[in-house]
C-alpha cells in the first residue's frame, strides 16, 4: 500500500520546540521519530526505535553531536550510525548497527520531515511567523469544522474572522498537531489574542469530538 503523503513534507514541530541538546518524540505517516538537535544546532529525525532492544530513542538524551539511548547508552550519529557501545568501550561498532534517518528541513521557524523523497522543498510560509504548537485531541476535519474553514494544500487554515491568524495542521496517530502562525510584525497584544483564540478553538473542536465519540 502506498504510504500516505509519500513524496511530501510533514510539519512536526516549531524550531523553538527543539533547543540544542534536546530530543522530542514526533510522528509522520512514515512512523514514529526521535527528533533531536545536536549541541551545534543540527536537527536530525531518527527512527524512534533503538536497534539494540527496541527502546524508544525519544526517551534518550543528546550529548554533543550524538543521540544516546536511555537503556544501555548506545549512541547514534546524525547520519544514523552507531558510534559508541558503553559496555564495549574499545569496540568500533559495525556499520550494520544503525537507525534510519529521514531528511529534515528547517524553514521559517518550522521543522519539516520528508516522507519518502519529495521532489520539492517544504512549503514556504514567509508571510507568517510561528507562535506556538499545540496538541489537539481530535481530527483535522473536526478542527476545520470548528474553524469554519478548510486547510489548503499546505495544510494551512486561515481563520475567516481573524485572517491574520493561520493554523498549520498535521494529522498525528491519535491527535492533530496545530502550529499557530500569525502575520509578521503583529503587536504583543495580538499575539496574546491569537493564543487565546486557538485555545478556544481547541476546546470547541475537542468538545465536538467527545460528543460525536459519545
Ligand atoms: S535498547 Fe538501546 S541501548 Fe539497549
Amino acid at each position: 500500500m502506498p504510504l500516505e503523503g509519500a513524496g511530501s513534507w510533514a510539519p512536526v514541530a516549531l524550531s523553538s520546540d527543539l533547543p540544542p541538546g534536546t530530543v522530542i518524540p514526533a510522528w509522520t505517516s512514515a512512523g514514529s521519530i526521535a527528533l533531536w538537535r545536536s549541541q551545534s544546532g543540527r536537527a536530525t529525525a531518527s527512527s524512534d526505535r533503538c536497534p539494540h532492544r527496541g527502546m524508544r530513542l525519544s526517551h534518550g538524551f543528546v550529548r554533543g553531536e550524538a543521540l544516546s539511548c536511555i537503556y544501555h547508552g548506545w549512541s547514534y550519529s546524525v547520519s544514523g550510525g552507531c558510534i559508541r557501545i558503553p559496555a564495549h568501550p574499545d569496540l568500533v561498532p559495525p556499520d550494520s548497527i544503525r537507525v534510519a534517518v529521514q531528511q529534515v528541513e528547517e524553514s521559517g521557524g518550522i521543522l519539516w520531515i520528508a516522507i519518502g523523497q519529495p521532489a520539492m522543498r517544504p512549503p514556504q510560509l514567509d508571510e507568517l511567523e510561528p507562535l506556538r504548537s499545540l496538541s489537539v485531541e481530535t481530527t483535522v476535519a473536526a478542527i476545520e469544522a470548528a474553524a469554519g474553514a478548510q486547510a489548503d494544500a499546505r495544510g494551512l487554515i486561515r481563520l475567516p474572522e481573524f485572517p491574520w491568524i493561520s493554523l498549520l495542521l498535521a494529522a498525528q496517530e491519535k491527535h492533530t498537531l496545530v502550529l499557530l502562525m500569525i502575520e509578521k510584525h503583529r503587536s504583543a497584544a495580538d499575539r496574546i489574542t491569537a493564543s487565546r483564540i486557538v485555545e478556544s478553538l481547541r476546546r470547541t473542536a475537542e468538545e465536538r469530538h467527545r460528543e460525536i465519540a459519545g
Side-chain angles (χ1 to χ4, degrees):
M1 203 166 87
L3 195 59
E4 191 184 335
S8 63
W9 292 93
V12 288
L14 298 185
S15 297
S16 56
D17 294 331
L18 192 70
T22 60
V23 55
I24 59 174
W27 189 88
T28 73
S29 58
S32 297
I33 286 157
L35 182 64
W36 58 284
R37 194 187 295 281
S38 71
Q39 291 294 353
S40 72
R42 177 166 171 174
T44 301
S46 303
S47 169
D48 198 6
R49 190 174 186 285
C50 180
H52 182 215
R53 296 269 178 86
M55 172 60 80
R56 296 189 66 165
L57 287 172
S58 57
H59 292 166
F61 55 94
V62 177
R63 196 164 282 159
E65 301 302 296
L67 173 65
S68 296
C69 179
I70 194 75
Y71 203 176
H72 309 98
W74 291 23
S75 298
Y76 303 92
S77 71
V78 295
S79 57
C82 182
I83 53 175
R84 184 167 173 268
I85 296 177
H88 303 281
D90 297 329
L91 177 80
V92 176
D95 288 346
S96 57
I97 304 178
R98 53 188 312 111
V99 292
V101 292
Q102 287 167 258
Q103 197 181 345
V104 181
E105 286 266 350
E106 198 159 10
S107 95
I110 299 171
L111 284 152
W112 301 82
I113 294 180
I115 303 173
Q117 304 283 334
M120 302 203 299
R121 307 265 328 270
Q124 300 294 303
L125 307 173
D126 296 337
E127 73 281 17
L128 298 171
E129 173 186 351
L131 212 54
R132 57 179 286 202
S133 56
L134 301 90
S135 169
V136 182
E137 302 297 320
T138 188
T139 60
V140 168
I143 296 170
E144 289 175 326
Q150 287 212 317
D152 66 16
R154 301 172 296 179
L156 200 66
I157 289 181
R158 187 177 291 249
L159 298 188
E161 289 180 47
F162 305 93
W164 49 278
I165 302 176
S166 294
L167 308 177
L168 185 60
L169 307 184
Q172 305 289 287
E173 215 168 5
K174 292 180 182 154
H175 65 277
T176 302
L177 173 68
V178 176
L179 304 184
L180 170 61
M181 320 275 294
I182 58 169
E183 277 177 4
K184 283 183 172 164
H185 312 304
R186 302 295 299 203
S187 67
D190 283 347
R191 299 162 81 89
I192 293 168
T193 300
S195 198
R196 287 188 178 147
I197 287 169
V198 76
E199 278 168 18
S200 162
L201 195 136
R202 167 163 65 177
R203 276 194 298 277
T204 303
E206 289 183 342
E207 276 166 17
R208 281 190 196 175
H209 183 77
R210 280 194 290 273
E211 282 167 16
I212 292 167

